[in-house]
């Protein structure tokens, strides 16, 4: 278990909202047997055994057969054997020496070791293997049992067994109940059996995969980890153990203390002070991940961060807290999951979290600080933590909290453009695009691009090509801690509209197209929209002289449970058209039966963005009129 | 220290007299950092760069020790300026090294300093790398890396580091990249080679670099007898020095098979070794030597499998069909038995290994096909090539690592030539996957030189025919038949097969084209074939507004504006293969309507690359007919022609936006 997340913000180079649909109907693999057991010897050590057999039907099922065995300073692979049998072929042994071993770590350094094996054989092939891992120096949790990890894969028979000394209390989380027996005079056996699991199919807007599975999580209530013992009976007690790891590590060196005081002395408010220190942290330090032993959970001392100028999320957060405490501002160490919005509340465990942030409390307010990435605007709750459950660590223990989230209508992307259309289809455009909150996150990388890349970004996803682009600029604001980026440019295009002898065909909104790639067939999973957002485009179209509008559009507005969509086309002047297109998708979860309704809503929205306006030469129009 | 007081004045004077960036603004000495470097806020070569390599040098030379023999040593020095947050990761250093049995590489003298300008005092702060932040990581048995992280790295820092790699792999001199993802102000590579070694030098890329060389004498000590006496041996060494300045960064673009081949770099390839009093050991001199070397290294075995499936292929041999049909059946026979593992390889595994896993790389399958065809008396050659994704082979530079796979060529008695590859799941004889369609592949034969062009083996086409009607409700109801041949059929089939089943393919088409598909049929899917036929009956909603119907006569836009949305481009466009396309549409308009307006006939040409697009429309009685042709005659468009080609592309795309207007007859 390690907590070392850093947060990166990516640029999405397209305004299309695409999603990869990876849906299939056939089964790719069948796990015939998946057995795992953990025998706990004492608080320090135990043995984990796995037996696994599967038939792989095609290359999409290959992942099921890939072997990944994770080791670190707390666990060591001690036995391995296996066989691989291709279709109509001879059985081949897989020995421990056939596994590739790597210490590769994505961060700077860790004690992680991975054993891997990627089988290659003609389909369908069978793979069987078993292995044993010895646990030493502490057990924080028993290995989780996840019966399926890939879509379109079924399980025939699975079981998970825990053999625990009688004097050890364990807690577990599963939708299944174990059979508990006294396996020997001093051991208790907990056995979970899973018969047949049908394949799961991934569909776009599906809830997290593991929600469909009878996963089993278990842990010793009282535990010892690298000789530090604690209890996970409650979040409160777990928090005490984590507090123990960080206390005494937050001492700021004297000269740094006085520097912090001096820097903030003239600030007018607490918020301003926090901002000064947050900026200082960003300038002075950087994220480096080194995870060794208990260091996966315990931060480097603040002194070390001050000296080296680097640290991981734990160390940088603790550094920030100690700076804030120095000037008398309350601040807390917050342990959080960057992946899962909801923690399993009834199962207090460290293993559910992977990241640390800071809660700063200037007076009555609360400001959340992400300390691993200084490009995240001050006080902004980014999408990997917004609305997530978390554990606040105080000397009194842990407190279960939930961060607030932004309303969907704040996550906006809106284009505001003025188009001067010529009768040959070319146009001059003054373009501006503004993105807020979670949409800001997708676009904020724009500021890092060079001129060519900026121009490519603006050109992408448009239904016309750019001949010339000038005055590209952007501004980033963060008023009321709601970040926004506005990009603007002057564009010349030769093909804004398609002309024919008497008519001009103009797309009402060639700047945005909605494409969710939704399947039309029956829906299996519920519809799950994690992040809602809103688009609102305003286009002012100057019609060339001598032309008038042939097609007329009535305003359209539709509100459903899933969101809103509509457009409004009006004309205040004979050669001026105002086009407003909007779309809002609400975060939420809906039953699979409502899929048809959802599909209809999306299709309607898509059409709104693809509307075509026909202009006709005025004399002609009169003639036919 | 006193002298420092004068520096600011010197800097002011410099700024006065020179505008812009001058070489003297940058330090070319390791251990010395200039004020300009510490103060710079952005890189003039690329204003968006998040870091810039101020200076980089590699110094390669040889040492000799009587116990370890020759070793190649490389001293590397690097100075980097951090300009923004994304550049902070350059404060982490990763140095890969190798270990293979007894041969090893050692990293020594790793040291690093971080320079920061204190904003208040204007003092230069220096922080050194600490031993406790240097780690070793075993990536695999043979590949390791040293990782280090530097203290006090911030925006504005200048980082300087150096290390030495001593390598037992003395025949291997690292390729030097002058260019990288970052702008480079100055890059130098100095290689000193003793007379015993001869290397080929290969240059790559578009950016200029200087080179010079000179020779001098040197000596090393060898023991004489076993009494601890040493004697000096003189030898001649040649020093090659390369340098480049102000090299812009590389950025990726679409339609490029391999960006790596465009990096400006110099590669050294071992040609021969001649130790004193020994024979010349030659590695590579000309292409025939390369061929010989490959055969010795394992390709000879590829031609000497003992042919399996004897019973089956004897039956095929006896059948009364043409040679070509027999060969197709033999390829099919082997592919039915051995599944392609989706891997490309140069050397085959043993027949036993292939048979036991029933699956193999393309050359595993090719070797088996080869053995059978040879047994039947066909004239089979191995054609060695480099995958397009790995760059192009340069015929003027024979090199040992030129190739990464081979395919087969059969010459029939009637002089017909057939190319075969076991890695093409959707191909046929002569229809190879696009990754193999190189313009320069070699017939593996140490006795003669023959090169073949695989990029234009077949005439590739797509022919689409739509017949249908528009009803008064505003629906197009039509049948769409798409016949694709050769490479085009390969592409469409492989796309089709990437879906799990027909209904997913149909659904995707429905989604993309906004049509409703009523029925379909697909033919020539499973067998080796050069054709693919798709028949689709569909319905499409069109725009009816008042008395008017507006509709676009193109169901699908074959070329997209987004492909070439960039205004400029630095590297060539690389297409997969040339092809011709024809689109025919015959559609009846509803009763009670007449054609109000039709698009004009138009043709766009781009003669330099034999490309054109041509749109012809007509209507007779109540039927509108369209014939649209498109030809892509060339697969490589040079950067200097990009703007013109893009205009051609945009014009072509505009054809797909044509609208036909129908009006109700009153």
């Amino acid at each position: 278990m390690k907590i070392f997340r850093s947060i990166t913000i990516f640029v999405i180079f397209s305004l299309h909202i695409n999603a990869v649909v990876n849906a299939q109907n056939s089964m790719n693999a069948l796990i015939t047997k998946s057995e795992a057991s953990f025998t706990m010897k004492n608080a320090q050590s135990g043995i984990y055994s796995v037996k696994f057999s599967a038939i792989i039907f095609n290359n999409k099922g290959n992942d099921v057969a890939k072997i990944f065995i994770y080791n670190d300073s707390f666990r060591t692979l001690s036995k391995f054997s296996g066989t691989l049998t291709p279709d109509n072929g001879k059985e081949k042994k897989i020995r421990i020496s056939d596994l590739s071993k790597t210490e590769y770590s994505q961060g700077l350094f860790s004690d992680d070791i991975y054993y891997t094996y990627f089988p290659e054989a003609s389909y369908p092939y069978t793979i069987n293997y078993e292995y044993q891992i010895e646990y030493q120096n502490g057990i924080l949790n028993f290995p989780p049992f996840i019966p399926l990890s890939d879509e379109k894969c079924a399980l025939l028979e699975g079981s998970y067994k825990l053999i625990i000394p009688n004097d050890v209390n364990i807690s577990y989380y599963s939708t299944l109940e174990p059979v508990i027996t006294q396996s020997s005079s001093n051991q208790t056996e907990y056995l979970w059996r899973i018969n047949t699991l049908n394949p799961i199919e991934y569909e776009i807007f599906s809830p997290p995969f593991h929600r469909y599975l009878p996963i089993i999580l278990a842990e010793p209530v009282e535990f010892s980890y690298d000789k530090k013992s604690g209890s996970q009976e409650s979040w409160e007690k777990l928090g005490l153990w984590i507090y123990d790891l960080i206390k005494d590590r937050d001492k700021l060196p004297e000269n740094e203390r006085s520097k912090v005081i001096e820097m903030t002395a003239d600030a007018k408010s607490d918020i301003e002070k926090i901002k000064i220190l947050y900026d200082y942290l960003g300038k002075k330090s950087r994220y480096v991940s080194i995870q060794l032993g208990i260091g996966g959970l315990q931060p480097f001392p603040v002194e070390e961060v001050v000296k080296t100028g680097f640290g991981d999320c734990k160390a940088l957060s603790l550094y920030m807290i100690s700076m804030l405490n120095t000037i008398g501002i309350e601040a807390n160490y917050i342990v959080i999951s960057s992946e899962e919005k909801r923690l399993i509340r009834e199962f207090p465990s460290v293993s559910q979290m992977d990241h640390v942030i800071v809660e700063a409390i200037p007076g009555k307010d609360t400001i959340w600080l992400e300390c691993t990435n200084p490009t995240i605007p001050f006080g902004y709750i980014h999408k990997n933590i917004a609305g997530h459950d978390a554990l606040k660590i105080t000397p009194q223990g842990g407190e279960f909290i939930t961060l607030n989230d932004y309303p969907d209508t704040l996550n906006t992307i809106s284009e505001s453009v003025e188009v001067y259309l010529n009768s040959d289809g070319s146009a001059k455009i003054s373009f501006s695009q503004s993105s807020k909150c979670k949409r800001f996150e997708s676009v904020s990388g724009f500021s890092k691009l060079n001129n060519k890349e900026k121009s490519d970004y603006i050109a992408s996803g448009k239904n016309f090509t750019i001949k010339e682009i000038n005055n590209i600029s952007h501004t980033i604001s963060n008023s009321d801690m709601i970040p926004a980026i506005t990009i603007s440019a002057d564009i010349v295009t030769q093909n804004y509209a398609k002309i024919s002898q008497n008519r001009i065909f103009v797309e009402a909104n060639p700047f945005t197209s909605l494409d969710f790639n939704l399947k039309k067939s029956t829906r299996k999973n519920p519809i799950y929209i994690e992040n809602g957002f809103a688009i609102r485009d305003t286009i002012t179209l100057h019609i060339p002289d001598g032309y008038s509008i042939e097609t007329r559009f009535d305003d359209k507005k539709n509100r459903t449970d899933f969101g809103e969509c509509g457009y409004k086309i009006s004309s205040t002047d004979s050669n001026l058209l105002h086009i407003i297109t909007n779309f809002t998708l609400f975060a939420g979860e809906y039953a699979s039966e409502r899929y048809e309704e959802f599909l209809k809503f999306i299709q309607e929205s898509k059409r709104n963005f693809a509307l075509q306006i026909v202009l006709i030469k005025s004399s002609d129009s009169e003639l036919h009129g | 220290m006193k002298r420092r007081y004068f520096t600011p004045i010197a800097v002011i004077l410099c700024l006065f007299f020179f505008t812009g960036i001058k070489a003297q603004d940058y330090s070319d000495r390791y251990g010395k950092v200039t004020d300009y470097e510490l103060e710079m806020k952005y890189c003039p070569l690329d204003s968006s760069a998040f870091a810039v390599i101020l200076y980089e040098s590699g110094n390669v030379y040889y040492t000799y020790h009587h116990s370890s023999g020759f070793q190649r040593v490389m001293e590397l020095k690097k100075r980097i300026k951090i300009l923004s947050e994304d550049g902070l990761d350059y404060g982490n250093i990763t140095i890969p090294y190798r270990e293979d049995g007894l041969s090893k590489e050692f990293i020594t003298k790793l040291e690093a300093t971080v320079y920061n300008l204190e904003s208040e005092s204007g003092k230069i702060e220096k922080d050194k790398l600490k031993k406790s932040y240097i780690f070793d990581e075993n990536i695999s048995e043979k590949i390791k890396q040293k990782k280090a992280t530097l203290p006090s790295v911030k925006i504005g820092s200048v980082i300087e580091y150096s290390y030495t790699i001593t390598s037992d792999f003395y025949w291997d001199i690292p390729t030097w990249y002058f260019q990288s993802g970052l702008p480079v102000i100055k890059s130098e590579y100095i290689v000193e080679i003793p007379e015993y070694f001869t290397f080929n030098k290969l240059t790559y890329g578009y950016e200029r670099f200087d080179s010079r060389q000179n020779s001098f004498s040197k000596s090393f000590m060898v023991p004489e007898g076993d009494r601890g006496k040493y004697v000096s041996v003189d030898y001649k060494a040649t020093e090659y020095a390369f340098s480049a300045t102000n090299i812009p960064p590389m950025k990726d673009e679409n339609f490029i098979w391999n960006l790596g081949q465009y990096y400006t770099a110099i590669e050294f390839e071992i040609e021969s070794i001649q130790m004193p009093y020994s024979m010349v050991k030659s590695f590579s001199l000309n292409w025939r030597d390369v061929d010989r070397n490959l055969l010795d290294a394992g390709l000879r075995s590829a031609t000497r499998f003992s042919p399996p499936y004897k019973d089956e292929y004897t039956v095929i041999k006896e059948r009364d069909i043409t040679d070509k049909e027999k060969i197709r059946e033999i390829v099919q026979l082997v592919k039915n038995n051995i599944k392609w593992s989706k891997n490309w390889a140069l050397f085959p595994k043993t027949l036993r290994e292939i048979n036991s896993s029933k699956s193999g790389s393309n050359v595993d399958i090719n070797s088996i096909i080869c053995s059978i065809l040879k047994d039947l008396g066909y004239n089979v050659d191995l054609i060695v090539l480099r995958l397009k994704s790995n760059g192009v082979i340069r015929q003027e530079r024979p090199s040992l690592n030129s190739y990464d796979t081979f395919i087969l060529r059969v010459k029939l008695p009637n002089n017909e030539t057939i190319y075969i590859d076991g890695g093409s799941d959707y191909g046929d004889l002569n229809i190879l996957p696009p990754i193999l369609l190189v313009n320069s592949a070699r017939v593996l034969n140490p006795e003669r030189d023959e090169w073949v062009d695989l990029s234009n083996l077949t005439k590739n086409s797509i022919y689409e025919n739509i017949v249908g009607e528009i009803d008064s409700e505003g629906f197009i109801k039509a049948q769409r038949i798409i016949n694709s041949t050769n490479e085009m059929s390969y592409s469409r089939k492989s796309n089709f097969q990437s879906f799990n089943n027909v209904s997913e393919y149909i659904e995707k088409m429905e989604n993309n084209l906004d049509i409703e598909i009523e029925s379909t049929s697909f033919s020539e899917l499973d067998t080796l074939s050069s054709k693919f036929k798709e028949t689709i009956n569909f319905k499409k909603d069109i725009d009816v507004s008042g008395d008017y119907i507006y509709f676009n006569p193109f169901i699908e836009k074959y070329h997209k504006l987004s492909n070439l949305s960039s205004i400029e481009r630095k590297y060539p466009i690389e297409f997969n293969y040339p092809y011709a396309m024809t689109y025919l549409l015959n559609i009846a308009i509803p009763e009670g309507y007449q054609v109000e307006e039709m698009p004009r006939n138009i043709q766009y040409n781009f003669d330099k690359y034999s490309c054109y697009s041509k749109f012809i429309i007509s209507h007779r009685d109540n039927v509108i007919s369209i014939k649209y042709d498109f030809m892509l005659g060339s697969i490589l468009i040079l950067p200097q022609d990009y703007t013109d080609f893009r205009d051609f592309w945009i014009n072509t795309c505009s054809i797909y936006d044509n609208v036909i207007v129908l009006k109700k007859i009153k």
Side-chain angles (χ1 to χ4, degrees), chain B residues 144-159:
Chain B
K144 328 262 162 193
Q145 56 190 25
K146 214 173 248 313
K147 281 177 155 185
T149 188
L150 309 185
S152 307
V153 176
K154 315 171 213 195
I155 295 172
S157 299
V158 173
I159 290 167

Side-chain angles (χ1 to χ4, degrees), chain A residues 203-207 212 519-528 562 589-599:
Chain A
E203 295 166 308
I204 184 170
F205 293 122
S206 287
Y212 303 99
K519 286 174 57 171
K520 282 181 189 160
S521 46
T522 41
R523 176 81 177 187
K524 296 187 178 73
N525 301 322
I527 305 151
Y528 175 79
F562 313 101
E589 191 168 342
Y590 314 92
S592 60
E593 291 76 37
R594 299 192 64 189
Y595 183 69
E596 213 168 299
E597 224 181 303
F598 178 65
L599 190 65

Side-chain angles (χ1 to χ4, degrees), chain B residues 39-57:
Chain B
E39 283 165 5
M40 75 189 282
K41 294 273 183 281
Y42 70 97
C43 175
L45 280 176
D46 176 8
S47 59
S48 71
F50 38 78
V52 47
I53 297 172
L54 299 167
Y55 175 73
E56 187 171 26
S57 85

Side-chain angles (χ1 to χ4, degrees), chain A residues 275-289:
Chain A
K275 169 116 179 41
I276 290 170
L277 293 178
Y278 182 74
D279 291 344
Y280 172 69
L281 176 84
K283 282 205 191 81
K284 164 156 183 146
S285 65
R286 67 193 172 103
Y287 176 84
V288 169
S289 161

Side-chain angles (χ1 to χ4, degrees), chain A residues 44-154:
Chain A
Q44 269 68 45
S45 62
I47 289 178
Y48 175 51
S49 312
V50 170
K51 280 185 188 166
F52 185 87
S53 316
I55 305 169
I56 312 300
F57 299 113
N58 56 47
N59 64 322
K60 287 171 188 127
N62 247 339
D63 281 353
V64 174
K66 286 181 183 168
I67 302 174
F68 286 92
I69 299 171
Y70 169 75
N71 278 190
D72 59 17
S73 56
F74 295 91
R75 61 209 101 185
T76 314
L77 179 67
S78 57
K79 274 184 196 165
F80 180 92
S81 66
T83 60
L84 179 68
T85 315
D87 180 35
N88 293 320
K90 262 191 250 137
E91 182 183 285
K92 191 185 143 201
K93 283 209 161 62
I94 313 169
R95 296 186 179 82
I96 198 162
S97 57
D98 295 323
L99 307 182
S100 335
K101 179 183 172 183
T102 181
E103 295 174 358
Y104 172 78
S105 73
Q106 271 189 310
L108 184 80
F109 197 68
S110 70
D111 50 20
D112 298 353
I113 295 171
Y114 289 94
Y115 292 90
T116 57
Y117 180 80
F118 300 159
E120 192 187 290
S122 66
Y123 303 103
Y125 67 82
T126 309
I127 187 161
N128 287 295
Y129 61 82
E130 48 185 274
Y131 62 84
Q132 229 171 57
I133 293 176
E134 283 178 25
Y135 275 58
Q136 65 268 327
N137 201 24
I139 300 163
L140 203 53
N141 56 281
F142 306 125
F145 187 72
I146 299 161
L148 291 177
S149 52
D150 296 272
E151 65 158 347
K152 301 214 165 156
C153 166

Side-chain angles (χ1 to χ4, degrees), chain B residues 54-92:
Chain B
L54 299 167
Y55 175 73
E56 187 171 26
S57 85
N59 194 356
V60 171
Y61 55 88
Y62 280 79
T63 58
Y64 182 83
H65 188 264
H66 62 271
S67 63
S68 46
F70 275 104
Q71 286 182 312
R72 186 263 293 150
V73 181
M74 174 159 169
E75 290 173 4
L76 194 123
K77 293 180 180 132
K78 208 166 183 170
R79 187 161 68 248
I80 300 174
K81 166 78 179 184
I82 310 290
L83 295 166
S84 70
E85 286 90 359
D86 287 340
L88 291 173
D89 281 345
Y90 289 94
N92 300 338

Side-chain angles (χ1 to χ4, degrees), chain B residues 479-502:
Chain B
Q479 182 176 64
R480 176 185 197 203
I481 297 174
I482 306 168
N483 274 301
S484 37
T485 45
N486 296 337
E487 288 298 334
M488 202 40 116
S489 82
Y490 186 99
S491 301
R492 287 195 77 92
K493 266 192 230 181
S494 74
N495 175 45
F496 181 84
Q497 299 288 15
S498 69
F499 292 86
N500 290 284
N501 48 49
V502 182

Side-chain angles (χ1 to χ4, degrees), chain B residues 214-447:
Chain B
N214 65 317
S215 300
F216 38 81
S217 327
K218 292 191 85 165
S219 61
F220 56 82
M221 307 297 283
V222 291
E224 193 186 48
D226 47 9
R227 297 279 177 107
K229 262 183 76 183
Y230 285 84
V231 55
S232 154
V233 175
D234 291 331
Y235 66 94
K236 197 182 103 191
T238 305
E239 184 187 88
Y240 301 89
F242 309 91
S243 71
T245 50
N246 296 329
I247 308 129
M250 287 294 283
K251 305 262 167 149
D252 206 0
E253 299 193 78
N254 55 6
F255 290 118
I256 283 193
W257 272 98
N258 174 288
L259 187 68
Q261 64 182 315
Y262 298 118
Y263 277 83
T264 300
I266 178 124
E267 181 183 345
F268 282 79
E269 192 187 54
I270 187 84
E271 194 174 287
S272 65
I273 297 177
Q274 183 176 26
M275 294 301 175
Y277 317 113
S278 340
M279 296 280 286
V280 177
K281 194 177 173 198
S282 171
F283 292 89
S284 143
L285 289 166
N286 56 39
W287 286 110
R288 296 182 186 196
D289 297 321
V290 175
D291 289 0
R292 210 166 287 124
N293 195 296
L294 269 186
L295 284 167
D296 292 344
L299 276 195
R300 193 165 284 114
S301 73
T303 61
R304 293 187 179 167
F305 277 21
S306 71
Y309 326 124
K310 188 133 199 165
D311 295 347
E312 288 97 325
Y313 75 73
T314 315
V315 173
I316 296 171
K317 185 191 169 192
E318 297 307 324
R319 288 182 54 192
D320 185 23
I321 48 177
T322 64
D323 281 330
K324 208 172 165 180
E325 286 162 336
K326 283 180 187 171
I327 292 171
R328 181 180 280 120
E329 294 214 357
I330 284 159
V331 172
Q332 190 67 61
L333 167 71
V334 177
K335 288 180 139 197
N336 285 347
N337 280 285
I338 308 295
K339 293 282 179 306
W340 181 42
S341 62
K342 313 273 177 204
N343 293 327
W344 308 100
L346 180 55
F347 297 107
K349 298 196 284 276
T350 64
L351 185 57
R352 221 181 116 213
E353 280 176 289
I354 302 167
N355 264 329
S356 89
S357 70
K358 298 275 171 198
S359 107
S361 70
N362 69 318
V363 300
D364 291 341
I365 297 169
N366 288 343
S367 300
I368 296 176
I369 296 172
C370 176
S371 69
I372 298 175
L373 292 179
K374 279 196 160 171
D375 193 46
L376 293 179
Y378 289 105
N379 175 0
V380 189
D381 288 305
L382 305 193
I383 308 293
V384 280
L385 57 100
R386 177 182 291 197
L387 296 174
K388 275 184 153 187
S389 54
N390 291 340
V392 293
I393 289 180
R394 302 198 317 185
Q395 279 188 31
E396 76 280 13
R397 300 281 196 177
S399 155
L400 279 178
N401 32 32
S402 292
Y403 310 121
D404 41 32
T405 194
F406 71 81
I407 63 169
L408 303 177
R409 180 182 74 177
V410 187
K411 277 227 157 136
L412 294 179
N414 65 1
N415 257 336
E416 202 181 340
T417 309
I418 294 171
Y419 292 92
I420 301 166
D421 180 59
S424 56
D425 278 354
Y426 316 109
D428 187 14
L429 308 180
N430 286 332
I431 301 172
L432 307 169
I435 196 169
L436 299 178
L437 301 178
V438 298
N439 52 23
S440 161
R442 185 176 161 86
V443 182
L444 184 72
N445 187 341
E447 308 307 324

